[in-house]
Amino acid sequence: MDAQREDHQGEAPWRKMSGEELEKQYTPSRWTVLRGAEEALRTYSQIGSEVRRPTLYPLSHTESRYVVAVGTEAQSPPPPATRLRGDGGSGGRAPRGHSWSLCSKDESAYVAAPLTGRGAAVVVVGYTLAPKGTLDQMVDQVARSIAFLQKRFPCNEGIYLCGHSAGAQLAAMMLLANWTERGVTPNLKGFSCFLLSGVYDLEPIVHTSVNAPLRLTPEGARRNSPQWHLEAASAKPRGPACPVLVIVGQHDSPEFHRQSREFYQTLCRAGWRASYEDLQDVDHFEMVWKLNQQDYALIQIILKTIFQES
């Protein structure tokens, strides 16, 4: 379901908010519906360890055509061959990011099962979490992971990105990456991006406690904001086969809704093939809790896109 386009004009609403209101808007745990804030955060951090995860094998394992990868913690400089690990699946379909300072790649691996069951390869990319890692480093590490995958599996059937929350910002930055500088062109034929409850303009974050581990300056926030890159008219679509699906939870905060809607609208104005989905009956955290279930609406959206089902 596509949202109506709106002109991106005037002063951003967040600039008129008090510090207290801005903090509330960018604290997802304060918008939970079924659970209290503490329970939601606890469930969010534990679910990856409680749900059965794939068995991990080295990505460099050459005797099998199956490649589901789960990233290890990124290093600086990251050695790609040791930074990614794999498990069963087929082809070469791609990565998912997860949080700037919370949750590791291992805790996100539970999302693989419904996709590998259909024959897709799933890669969960690890990156150095804040405060140890800066946002510039995280963006670089994710881009290096994608470049490595394309070089390692040049005959893949298409690369599909999926990121939730902070991971959505990282995935969106990959749409705008300069791949020429990295000496590789990812398989854009299937380059589709699923952005789940993301923040695409990081400037409001600078003025909240979320920035404590990130230590972003206004300049650093703009440099790593997909919204800013698109509005600067420097980011053009890679071609007609570059769909982007921007998704937000019904019970996400108004600022998360605004950010998702405006990023979708900016994508459309810039010529990208974008669509917008307001996922009903979920908040920021509940959106990803059921990603290991085959019949979950969001998994069905992803599967239909990847396998081009009607």
Side-chain angles (χ1 to χ4, degrees):
M1 176 176 58
D2 289 351
Q4 291 184 341
R5 299 186 189 184
E6 298 176 4
D7 291 332
H8 184 57
Q9 299 176 345
E11 186 178 24
W14 69 267
R15 294 186 181 278
K16 303 175 184 178
M17 295 180 182
S18 66
E20 181 180 359
E21 178 60 24
L22 191 62
E23 185 75 20
K24 179 181 178 181
Q25 289 289 327
Y26 286 93
T27 305
S29 61
R30 298 180 68 174
W31 299 85
T32 57
V33 176
L34 297 179
R35 295 170 172 82
E38 291 186 5
E39 184 182 356
L41 287 171
R42 183 169 57 251
T43 303
Y44 185 60
S45 63
Q46 292 177 349
I47 192 166
S49 60
E50 294 173 350
V51 176
R52 182 180 178 275
R53 292 176 290 173
T55 303
L56 306 184
Y57 299 99
L59 186 62
S60 57
H61 182 62
T62 58
E63 297 179 358
S64 171
R65 66 186 180 90
Y66 299 121
V67 186
V68 169
V70 178
T72 64
E73 189 71 17
Q75 302 175 27
S76 181
T82 60
R83 185 156 48 91
L84 301 172
R85 302 180 67 84
D87 173 50
S90 67
R93 308 179 191 267
R96 177 180 184 274
H98 205 351
S99 187
W100 295 308
S101 61
L102 297 173
C103 296
S104 71
K105 78 288 172 189
D106 295 319
E107 292 166 320
S108 300
Y110 73 94
V111 305
L115 302 174
T116 59
R118 291 292 303 276
V122 177
V123 176
V124 184
V125 175
Y127 49 87
T128 306
L129 299 174
K132 183 179 179 180
T134 67
L135 200 50
D136 288 305
Q137 289 173 327
M138 297 176 204
V139 171
D140 178 66
Q141 288 168 350
V142 175
R144 293 179 70 174
S145 296
I146 295 174
F148 168 74
L149 287 169
Q150 181 62 40
K151 292 176 181 178
R152 177 67 177 80
F153 304 103
C155 297
N156 67 73
E157 298 176 23
I159 294 178
Y160 296 78
L161 303 178
C162 182
H164 169 248
S165 194
Q169 175 266 333
L170 293 171
M173 287 297 290
M174 297 305 102
L175 294 173
L176 315 172
N178 187 333
W179 297 108
T180 302
E181 292 181 351
R182 299 181 183 274
V184 64
T185 301
N187 184 0
L188 305 183
K189 179 180 179 181
F191 196 91
S192 183
C193 196
F194 306 95
L195 306 176
L196 317 178
S197 291
V199 177
Y200 309 104
D201 175 6
L202 300 184
E203 192 172 6
I205 295 295
V206 174
H207 306 282
T208 71
S209 62
V210 176
N211 195 40
L214 288 172
R215 304 185 300 277
L216 277 175
T217 63
E219 294 75 21
R222 288 191 290 271
R223 186 169 59 249
N224 290 287
S225 292
Q227 182 75 27
W228 279 78
H229 286 278
L230 284 173
E231 289 181 351
S234 58
K236 301 298 182 182
R238 308 294 180 179
C242 297
V244 181
L245 177 56
V246 182
I247 303 174
V248 66
Q250 178 186 359
H251 302 301
D252 265 311
S253 76
E255 270 295 281
F256 273 82
H257 276 266
R258 180 189 66 81
Q259 289 242 7
S260 293
R261 184 177 62 253
E262 289 190 359
F263 187 59
Y264 156 71
Q265 292 163 353
T266 306
L267 283 166
C268 291
R269 288 195 298 270
W272 291 78
R273 184 152 57 95
S275 56
Y276 182 93
E277 185 80 24
D278 191 332
L279 199 62
Q280 297 299 296
D281 301 323
V282 296
D283 60 34
H284 189 85
F285 302 100
E286 294 165 343
M287 174 179 290
V288 293
W289 284 344
K290 298 180 181 180
L291 281 175
N292 67 317
Q293 299 179 14
Q294 186 78 29
D295 60 350
Y296 180 40
L298 184 52
I299 282 292
Q300 289 299 309
I301 291 172
I302 293 172
L303 287 172
K304 287 180 180 179
T305 301
I306 291 177
F307 294 101
Q308 299 182 353
E309 299 170 345
S310 59

